[in-house]
Amino acid sequence: MANIVLVGGAWLGAWAWRAVTPRLREAGHQVHPVTLTGFGDRAHLGTPATNLSDHVQDVIAAIEAEELTDVVLVGHSYAGAVVTVVADRIPERLAKVIYVAGVTPEHGKRLFDLAEGVEEIMQAMADAEGDGWRIPFIGDEILDAYYGEHELTGEHLTWLRRHAEGVPIATHREVIELASPDSSPVPRVFLHCTGDGPAHELPCYGRDWVRAEIQTGHWPMATKPVELAALLDRLVVA
């Protein structure tokens, strides 16, 4: 049995783990899905100032409020940055960090620094549909390209669009500061979603981390929840 804290990526909240959480609990784990400020049922709390540090504090507060120790912290996509900083801040509370197609940020850099030209695109999206500070959910023209490779069906997309909330753009502009930038204070696992492309092109490649793989796209909690839950069940004790 493990204490598992689930953190969804951009636009997502605790709701995104709806099909995964009960299966992990059936396997005997204590499971705590977290909603970050500005997302899900906490969408009303997001502001132009909401940043990565706020999301880090969301997770730390959830762990401390539940008095959790030996936590397996799972971060999906954008939340890879969140769990990286959480592990740097409270390593004594954690047993393992699992990145589900998660970003792996670098000390002294912003998330926008990971890909050239993305900041301009995201700001234009925020200006057009997010009051200048919220990155709206991916537009239809981009999502349509994910149908095959990422296995998203029309039902999946309807579900995602119905619940997705804009991402405060300040989260991607904050410089990430790590006390232990050259080491992993907690064991790491990277779960590669095959729809994201070849594993050797991922940021974690070559790092001294355990690596696993799931045959699906970037949102496995939607497309392969049963398989994802089973894989997480194995990884928490691996």
Side-chain angles (χ1 to χ4, degrees):
M1 190 270 287
N3 290 317
I4 303 175
V5 174
L6 302 171
V7 189
W11 304 292
L12 309 181
W15 58 268
W17 304 98
R18 190 175 300 161
V20 176
T21 297
R23 290 178 169 85
L24 289 174
R25 288 175 177 158
E26 288 169 3
H29 304 294
Q30 297 292 322
V31 187
H32 306 267
V34 174
T35 295
L36 303 175
T37 299
F39 300 146
D41 59 329
R42 306 187 73 223
H44 61 291
L45 300 177
T47 74
T50 301
N51 60 17
L52 181 64
S53 290
D54 293 318
H55 288 169
V56 169
Q57 187 55 40
D58 288 335
V59 177
I60 291 175
I63 291 171
E64 292 179 342
E66 294 292 338
E67 299 184 343
L68 302 178
T69 57
D70 296 321
V71 172
V72 176
L73 183 57
V74 180
H76 167 254
S77 194
Y78 156 73
V82 178
V83 300
T84 295
V85 183
V86 171
D88 186 71
R89 300 287 189 271
I90 55 166
E92 71 282 356
R93 293 267 193 167
L94 308 184
K96 185 177 296 183
V97 178
I98 300 177
Y99 296 76
V100 178
V103 297
T104 55
E106 297 180 32
H107 171 71
K109 293 188 177 181
R110 311 170 308 152
L111 288 178
F112 275 142
D113 294 331
L114 299 180
E116 186 177 351
V118 171
E119 183 170 6
E120 291 75 14
I121 294 171
M122 295 299 185
Q123 184 61 65
M125 292 171 64
D127 290 340
E129 300 181 45
D131 299 323
W133 63 272
R134 292 187 302 255
I135 305 168
F137 189 53
I138 302 171
D140 288 350
E141 69 282 356
I142 299 176
L143 273 175
D144 286 347
Y146 286 119
Y147 264 89
E149 187 177 15
H150 286 274
E151 301 179 358
L152 291 170
T153 65
E155 185 177 352
H156 293 142
L157 293 175
T158 298
W159 179 59
L160 290 170
R161 289 192 186 101
R162 187 165 65 244
H163 296 287
E165 296 289 346
V167 181
I169 200 166
T171 57
H172 286 54
R173 287 187 168 137
E174 182 177 352
V175 175
I176 295 168
E177 301 287 345
L178 301 174
S180 303
D182 299 320
S183 63
S184 295
V186 182
R188 311 296 174 108
V189 178
F190 192 93
L191 178 51
H192 170 224
C193 295
T194 56
D196 284 337
H200 70 271
E201 295 179 357
L202 300 174
C204 70
Y205 188 78
R207 299 192 186 195
D208 187 22
W209 295 3
V210 173
R211 287 191 289 277
E213 188 171 271
I214 184 169
Q215 298 288 326
T216 192
H218 191 71
W219 294 275
M221 65 281 287
T223 56
K224 292 288 180 66
V226 175
E227 295 83 352
L228 177 60
L231 185 52
L232 290 175
D233 179 42
R234 294 196 299 271
L235 290 174
V236 297
V237 296

